Amino acid sequence: MTTSEDVKKAPAKDPWDLPDVSGLVVGVLGGTGDQGRGLAYRLAKAGQRVIIGSRAAERARTAADELGLGIEGADNAECARRSDIVIVAVPWEGHGKTLEGLREELAGKLVVDCVNPLGFDKQGAYALKPEEGSAAQQAAALLPESRVTAAFHHLSAVLLSDPEIAEIDTDVMVLGDKRADTDIVQALAARIPGMRGVFAGRLRNAHQVESLVANLISVNRRYKAHAGLRVTDV
């Protein structure tokens, strides 16, 4: 007869035991914009194979040639088809339309949404709340056959694109509903020197993470900085 003393619980998984993602192809939709371009540059510099996507293939190829590092350029559909992980870095205004048009190409893919729905007026930046709750949740609603996560919201495009900066001293908040997916995204963030991916909850919590960018913009304006985040005691 087996007793409770005979049954040993499996040891808890080390949260920092992350998968090897070095062989995965990363696509960046909106890769010709400042944020997408900076992420593409940093990931490629870390040894990742990167494809920049844009509505116009020629524009993507031009940006890729300017960045070098083996980065390729393609239209958004080809970028999505050829990539294992797809980072969504398009402007909020075109977010829904872009993803709706790529539903087939993104089926089965790990999608990382880093879009921040923001408005701007004379008082500065302020957070918008999409009907679905967040940009990431909108992506999940539009891409039912994709594995949607959220990450890379709080990174300075200026720092990402500066070749004189060797390390990006920041944490990346990673959200998603499946641990295997968030582990992959954390590992991808950790490929960039100085950066660390930290699990920050399920996708339903993405709104406050996206919204925090409005606060960081205020910090940056007051202190003439390029502020990021660090999570302490983790």
Side-chain angles (χ1 to χ4, degrees), residues 63-84:
D65 290 343
E66 290 171 353
L67 290 172
L69 299 171
I71 297 172
E72 300 178 64
D75 62 48
N76 282 331
E78 182 182 349
C79 173
R81 279 194 300 269
R82 293 175 56 197
S83 302
D84 301 305

Side-chain angles (χ1 to χ4, degrees), residues 64-214:
D65 290 343
E66 290 171 353
L67 290 172
L69 299 171
I71 297 172
E72 300 178 64
D75 62 48
N76 282 331
E78 182 182 349
C79 173
R81 279 194 300 269
R82 293 175 56 197
S83 302
D84 301 305
I85 304 174
V86 179
I87 297 174
V88 181
V90 300
W92 166 240
E93 293 74 17
H95 181 263
K97 186 176 180 180
T98 298
L99 296 184
E100 191 173 20
L102 295 171
R103 184 175 296 164
E104 182 177 341
E105 290 82 0
L106 290 171
K109 306 286 184 177
L110 176 53
V111 175
V112 187
D113 201 297
C114 70
V115 175
N116 303 304
L118 296 175
F120 294 87
D121 60 19
K122 291 182 179 179
Q123 297 183 62
Y126 60 94
L128 303 175
K129 190 161 187 179
E131 182 180 345
E132 298 84 355
S134 65
Q137 287 171 294
Q138 183 183 87
L142 292 172
L143 304 172
E145 296 182 40
S146 302
R147 297 139 51 208
V148 177
T149 60
F152 300 116
H153 300 92
H154 307 135
L155 305 180
S156 163
V158 173
L159 298 185
L160 288 172
S161 300
D162 189 343
E164 298 300 317
I165 295 176
E167 297 187 359
I168 306 294
D169 181 24
T170 193
D171 284 336
V172 171
M173 309 283 273
V174 179
L175 302 99
D177 294 330
K178 294 185 178 179
R179 179 162 186 170
D181 293 337
T182 55
D183 280 358
I184 290 172
V185 180
Q186 285 181 255
L188 186 65
R191 295 274 288 160
I192 299 174
M195 198 175 289
R196 185 177 65 158
V198 178
F199 175 72
R202 292 181 176 271
L203 210 61
R204 68 181 183 181
N205 292 321
H207 171 65
Q208 55 264 39
V209 173
E210 296 170 0
S211 300
L212 188 57
V213 174

Side-chain angles (χ1 to χ4, degrees), residues 212-229:
L212 188 57
V213 174
N215 302 91
L216 289 177
I217 290 172
S218 297
V219 170
N220 290 337
R221 286 181 174 174
R222 174 64 62 89
Y223 298 102
K224 310 299 181 187
H226 301 290
L229 296 178

